[in-house]
Amino acid sequence: MKVAVLYSGGKDSTYAMYRAKEHGREIACLVSMKSKNPSSYMFHVPNIDMVKLQAKALDIPLIFRTTEGIKEKELKDLRNALLEAKKKYDIEGVVSGAVASEYQRYRVETVCADLGLKSIAPLWHLDPRKYMTDFIKDGFKAIITSVAADGFSPEWLGKPISLETIDELEKLHEKFGIHIGGEGGEIETFVTDGPIFKKRIEIEEVEKVWQHDVGFYIIKRAKLK
């Protein structure tokens, strides 16, 4: 089955693509949505422009479209992007990195059903610690690019996802109740390398922004190696 991947550049969409490929799906293209609304209910915002470099590193065609990010209306923009993927690449399904968000999964499924596409969520309801551990053991490299919850500090920005990082997230889960996988925007990530990458990404220049318990690691410049 030829599929498109809803791609944000983070660990969830990257690992969902990897799992889908392992199960025989042919990755025809990536579909990324850039929301003008930083509080979008549907779409990942930090460093979204960098998916263009990741698509080159993965050597997979990219459909990159913008949306105003208005709640519910942004689904029309997603539908148009997926319709373009269907016409251009003859896709039959859509892979998403949904882990626990019923809001996102239901809406992706609704758009897919409208277009006659199968919705595929390989990470749905997986234990977050196990799947993140598998992500690392399978050879993926990622860093934390935003945090938004009690317990975080500026030192988390740019921190690599490692087994030690997962232990630290588990402690924050026990103390503050955060989701270990960062579901709901508590953490966002950026993948720089992995077994499905043809080239790795080297980050050259960044800017850190911190306000109260919210921080962003903004990638200003990066290159392929």
Side-chain angles (χ1 to χ4, degrees):
M1 175 186 288
K2 293 177 72 173
V3 298
V5 177
L6 291 181
Y7 196 62
S8 69
K11 60 178 175 53
D12 297 342
S13 59
T14 302
Y15 202 51
M17 170 166 48
Y18 175 72
R19 286 284 183 91
K21 196 171 183 179
E22 275 196 321
H23 285 87
R25 316 291 189 186
E26 179 185 345
I27 312 301
C29 67
L30 309 176
V31 175
S32 299
M33 302 297 295
K34 180 177 181 177
S35 175
K36 295 180 182 179
N37 176 9
S39 301
S40 168
Y41 282 77
M42 280 294 297
F43 305 119
H44 173 109
V45 175
N47 297 301
I48 190 63
D49 284 302
M50 281 291 160
V51 298
K52 297 171 185 176
L53 190 64
Q54 288 171 306
K56 292 179 180 177
L58 290 158
D59 193 27
I60 299 174
L62 170 68
I63 293 175
F64 186 91
R65 298 292 176 264
T66 59
T67 175
E68 292 295 327
I70 299 171
K71 189 176 180 182
E72 300 302 340
K73 290 184 179 180
E74 59 192 352
L75 296 178
K76 182 179 178 181
D77 298 321
L78 175 61
R79 183 189 185 281
N80 289 338
L82 292 178
L83 179 60
E84 181 181 346
K86 183 177 180 179
K87 290 179 177 178
K88 190 172 183 179
Y89 297 104
D90 199 28
I91 63 167
E92 301 169 85
V94 177
V95 174
S96 68
V99 178
S101 172
E102 295 283 358
Y103 179 92
Q104 291 178 338
R105 187 187 184 201
Y106 172 75
R107 281 155 181 78
V108 170
E109 287 181 345
T110 299
V111 172
C112 286
D114 183 46
L115 295 173
L117 299 170
K118 182 176 182 180
S119 177
I120 303 163
L123 309 182
W124 186 245
H125 279 178
L126 290 184
D127 175 78
R129 182 180 180 100
K130 183 180 187 308
Y131 114 70
M132 287 179 69
T133 300
D134 289 344
F135 174 85
I136 294 164
K137 290 182 176 180
D138 284 334
F140 286 94
K141 307 290 184 185
I143 59 171
I144 293 174
T145 53
S146 78
V147 293
D150 290 338
F152 288 113
S153 63
E155 289 69 33
W156 279 86
L157 298 176
K159 183 190 285 286
I161 299 292
S162 65
L163 296 178
E164 292 75 18
T165 304
I166 297 174
D167 288 339
E168 292 179 59
L169 288 169
E170 195 157 45
K171 290 176 183 176
L172 290 180
H173 167 71
E174 292 168 359
K175 187 173 183 179
F176 298 103
I178 71 161
H179 189 279
I180 295 172
E183 186 74 6
E186 292 168 324
I187 66 170
E188 302 284 7
T189 58
F190 180 81
V191 180
T192 58
D193 199 7
I196 54 177
F197 281 68
K198 302 294 190 297
K199 295 181 180 180
R200 66 181 174 85
I201 296 172
E202 185 176 281
I203 297 171
E204 297 183 301
E205 182 183 351
V206 302
E207 177 186 355
K208 290 186 180 183
V209 177
W210 186 264
Q211 292 182 328
H212 306 295
D213 292 322
V214 179
F216 299 96
Y217 187 83
I218 302 166
I219 301 171
K220 309 285 281 188
R221 192 173 71 248
K223 65 181 180 182
L224 299 179
K225 296 283 285 187

